[in-house]
Amino acid sequence: MGERGLRLERLEIAREGRRLVALDALIEPGEALTVMGPSGSGKSTLLSVIAGAPPPGFSVAGRVLLDGRDMTALPPEARRIGILFQEELLFPHLSVGANLAFGLRPHVKGRAARRARVERALAEAGLEGMAERDPATLSGGQKARAALMRMLLSEPAALLLDEAFSRLDAALRGQIRALVFDTARREGVPVLQVTHDEADAAAAGGRVVRL
Amino acid sequence: MVTAAAGRASRLPPLAPALTVALLLLPVSAGFLGVAAPSLGYMPALGGERLSALPFRELFAWPDLPRAVALSVLVGLAATAISLLAVMLIVAGWRGSRAFRALERALSPLLSVPHAAAAFGLAFLIAPSGWIARALSPWATGWERPPDLLIVQDPWGLSLILGLVAKEIPFLFLMTLAALPQAQPAKSEAVARALGYAPLTGWFKTVFPRVYRQIRLPVLAVLAYSMSVVDMAIILGPSAPPPLSVQVVRWMNDPDLSLRFRAAAGAMLQLGLVAAALLFWFGLEKAVAALGRRWVEGGGRGGGAMEGWLRLLGLALAALSAGAVFAGLGGLAIWSFAGLWPFPDALPEGPTLRSWMRHGPALAAPMAETLLIAAAATALSLFLTIACLEAESRHGLAPSGRALWLLYLPLIVPQVAFLTGLQTLALAAGLDGGRGAVIAAHALFVLPYVFLSLAGPWREWDARQALVARTLGAGPGRALFAVRLPMLLRPALTAAAVGFAASVGQYLPTLLIGGGAVRTVTTEAVALAAGGDRRAIAIWSLAQTAAALAPFLAAALIPRIAWRNRAGLRDG
């Protein structure tokens, strides 16, 4: 096994010939790199590119490698890179449990086993017994935790955060932030977050790149 | 449908847009050839071996031609101008009011009522023996018998214009409602009001130019449609002579096949008339724009009595449009249950089920045919629309203005001008229409409505939902079927309902492509126009309306039931 972690190799994103983002970095397992910049600086585009869905109209150069494997030509579903947005984006037509089951990898086989795994994940996030609930009826903090658990059940090898905490109110923000970064450190997952909030960068505790 | 905007390599070429373009373009151009050739005397299957000017000479020798042409042009321009004016006045003067919300609620049923049913309903209202005359007789008019007045089918086409306006106001209103958010009227209105402009004047000076730019194609479609409409013109329009399009269909359906050359020449003339009217309209747009700019530069703040009168005019036109359709349907319902109904009684004896028992059994087969054709044409259109939109999302394509023109092509090229050509080609090739051909022809007119109706909600959908699904390990197919389509269930069903209603209302494609062998409730209802059996007409028109309206009810109900426990989608 070669290198571990998320490597952005001379990654450059440009629009209409104007360079927006240029990054060359290795994010090691459990490390969190923060990219800061004003809105319109291409932060979200950077994450879309790494996730494998570059928006039309942008040109991309360089490579994305995860644990030594070149991801550049792979579609998003083959990259094992999870993403959390400012909005939780729980699927509104599925129950909370079905949302988590959507993320759960297919190698967990059998209805009972899958259901048990979802229940355990809900319990870990303090959402016991909420599997049948309509996501629209959850509180902001519950939604954020459900979205996090859905993403973790897909066993991502890297994690992207797009202003993931900015919509939560101050009390909740610290709690969810700690949950995400602690989990990432424990699981040894490299994290790349983009934000305009200095407190997010401080909580991540890693390097900070300013655009 | 789309052109590439991104340099991203795609693994699969987007097949669906190409297929859709072919579906839209091929029949229209083939039909054009099928009209152009016989109009110049060439159609070996009918004995036309050499090019000749005879068809056009015969056409121009028809003494009623100038009048038929004038009718086509006047009816088209008047119906378009009045409908557009009414919708703009309503939107400018009444947005946010109770009347406006009532009109919004009435929109779906108004749109779904087929043109033929609306025309019959209107005819039953305004005819000399219709409801209005009965309500006023004999106490106000002194009429003991229906007066000998040519109100319906009047020689100037006024009742035809009224019928068209009643049906085109809802269409333009819907298109304007869809265009409004992008024009951001609230901000401009606030600025204009702060600068001292009266509401209506401020709206026309700031918002109208942006809204008109977006509803331009629908307006052109209304103009082309109103000039060349056939079913409504048979019911409400004058008959001696009728508007040109109706005469072309008469020649087409004449047992004397040699008249088809003249019909082709007439269809070419109809195409030329629509082209000329569109050019005239473009000139009108330029003139109005120039006058408008001067008006804006003048800085007049408007207001005063004039503004109040204009608002009232808008409301009156909209109420007239909605009222004509709804009261017309009410009239049809009463006729269908009417026993003896002598003039000038306001209500008939009865109610009785006699008419329903007499005509009901005959409804079954054409109704089944109608539903089958509409379901097939709608399914095909919905499939192509979703495939096109999904290709657009997957390949990062951006729709171009030209693609939109293409989509409107079947709605702007007059039906008589290419459907008659398709019929002639089928005859030459020895094919006889049949149900499959009729379904394909319907799809040509259903697809634009389905696409226009679904494209907006599809493109507004938060694409990050798809990205989340993909990063969770779902392939593009699962992201489409398990996430995007369920979330877009409501707009997809609404688009299907719009398409279904469009198919139910089709008269000419069924008549011409089906070669008379395919009988739907619409062809049967229009065929009754020549006779005078009001009870039969009422029953067939109501059956037609029910066929068009039922899918709208389903489209409203199904998401409510499927998502009864999903607050995020219930009201969305």
Side-chain angles (χ1 to χ4, degrees), chain A residues 77 87 92-93 95 134 150, chain B residues 464 468 470 476 482 565-567:
Chain A
E77 62 270 25
E87 290 86 11
H93 60 298
S95 67
D134 175 0
R150 176 178 68 175
Chain B
R464 292 177 309 169
V468 165
R470 299 284 297 272
N565 294 325
R566 297 287 175 258

Side-chain angles (χ1 to χ4, degrees), chain A residues 33 38 44 48 126-128 132 141 163 179-180:
Chain A
L33 174 76
S44 291
S48 302
L127 300 169
E128 294 92 341
E132 295 307 316
E163 308 258 5
L179 181 63
V180 171

Side-chain angles (χ1 to χ4, degrees), chain B residues 206-230:
Chain B
T206 60
V207 184
F208 173 74
R210 270 171 288 161
V211 168
Y212 183 77
R213 193 192 308 258
Q214 289 200 59
I215 59 163
R216 187 163 179 244
L217 279 168
V219 169
L220 298 182
V222 168
L223 177 58
Y225 180 85
S226 303
M227 286 184 73
S228 55
V229 64
V230 172

Side-chain angles (χ1 to χ4, degrees), chain B residues 293-435:
Chain B
R293 269 193 293 277
R294 206 178 298 169
W295 183 51
V296 170
E297 278 164 17
R301 264 40 178 180
M306 180 68 175
E307 192 140 313
W309 284 111
L310 281 172
R311 281 186 79 216
L312 216 57
L313 176 67
L315 189 67
L317 284 169
L320 189 69
S321 151
V325 175
F326 286 134
L329 283 180
L332 291 172
I334 291 191
W335 267 110
S336 79
F337 293 108
L340 195 64
W341 195 356
F343 192 87
D345 294 358
L347 284 173
E349 291 170 14
T352 166
L353 283 172
R354 213 168 48 224
S355 305
W356 282 99
M357 308 231 289
R358 183 147 55 120
H359 299 286
L363 278 175
M367 182 59 107
E369 185 83 69
T370 306
L371 298 180
L372 183 72
I373 291 170
T378 304
L380 177 65
S381 302
L382 196 60
F383 173 79
L384 283 172
T385 295
I386 291 173
C388 277
L389 290 170
E390 177 68 6
E392 187 183 302
S393 313
R394 275 190 206 176
H395 299 272
L397 309 172
S400 68
R402 236 179 322 165
L404 205 58
W405 270 95
L406 197 61
L407 201 57
Y408 271 94
L409 190 68
L411 306 184
I412 290 181
V413 178
Q415 285 193 347
V416 277
F418 67 98
L419 289 176
T420 50
L422 287 179
Q423 194 201 18
T424 307
L425 287 183
L427 191 79
L431 301 168
D432 56 345
R435 187 184 292 147

Side-chain angles (χ1 to χ4, degrees), chain A residues 48 51 53-54 56-57 75-77 80-83 85-87 89-95 99 101-103 105 132-136 150-151 154, chain B residues 5-8 11 395-397 462 464-476 478-479 482-484 486-487 563 565-570:
Chain A
S48 302
E77 62 270 25
R80 312 200 71 159
I81 298 179
I83 189 164
F85 289 100
Q86 188 180 108
E87 290 86 11
L89 299 178
L90 292 171
F91 302 130
H93 60 298
L94 300 177
S95 67
N99 261 282
F102 192 101
R105 287 269 150 195
E132 295 307 316
R133 286 275 289 273
D134 175 0
R150 176 178 68 175
M151 203 255 307
S154 73
Chain B
R8 195 150 63 95
R11 271 156 293 153
H395 299 272
L397 309 172
D462 189 346
R464 292 177 309 169
Q465 294 275 14
L467 181 56
V468 165
R470 299 284 297 272
T471 59
L472 291 173
R478 191 161 166 235
V483 179
R484 190 167 206 162
M487 284 181 69
W563 304 139
N565 294 325
R566 297 287 175 258
L569 292 167
R570 208 158 37 215

Side-chain angles (χ1 to χ4, degrees), chain A residues 22-34:
Chain A
L23 260 183
D24 189 64
L26 172 67
I27 309 167
E28 291 186 13
E31 187 196 350
L33 174 76
T34 301

Side-chain angles (χ1 to χ4, degrees), chain A residues 119-170:
Chain A
E119 286 293 350
R120 206 164 78 231
L122 284 172
E124 283 167 35
L127 300 169
E128 294 92 341
M130 295 199 177
E132 295 307 316
R133 286 275 289 273
D134 175 0
T137 65
L138 298 188
S139 71
Q142 290 170 332
K143 282 182 193 164
R145 279 176 279 156
L148 175 66
M149 294 322 284
R150 176 178 68 175
M151 203 255 307
L152 290 177
L153 286 177
S154 73
E155 300 167 22
L159 176 48
L160 308 175
L161 305 175
D162 190 352
E163 308 258 5
F165 314 111
S166 59
R167 285 229 311 188
L168 299 166
D169 55 49

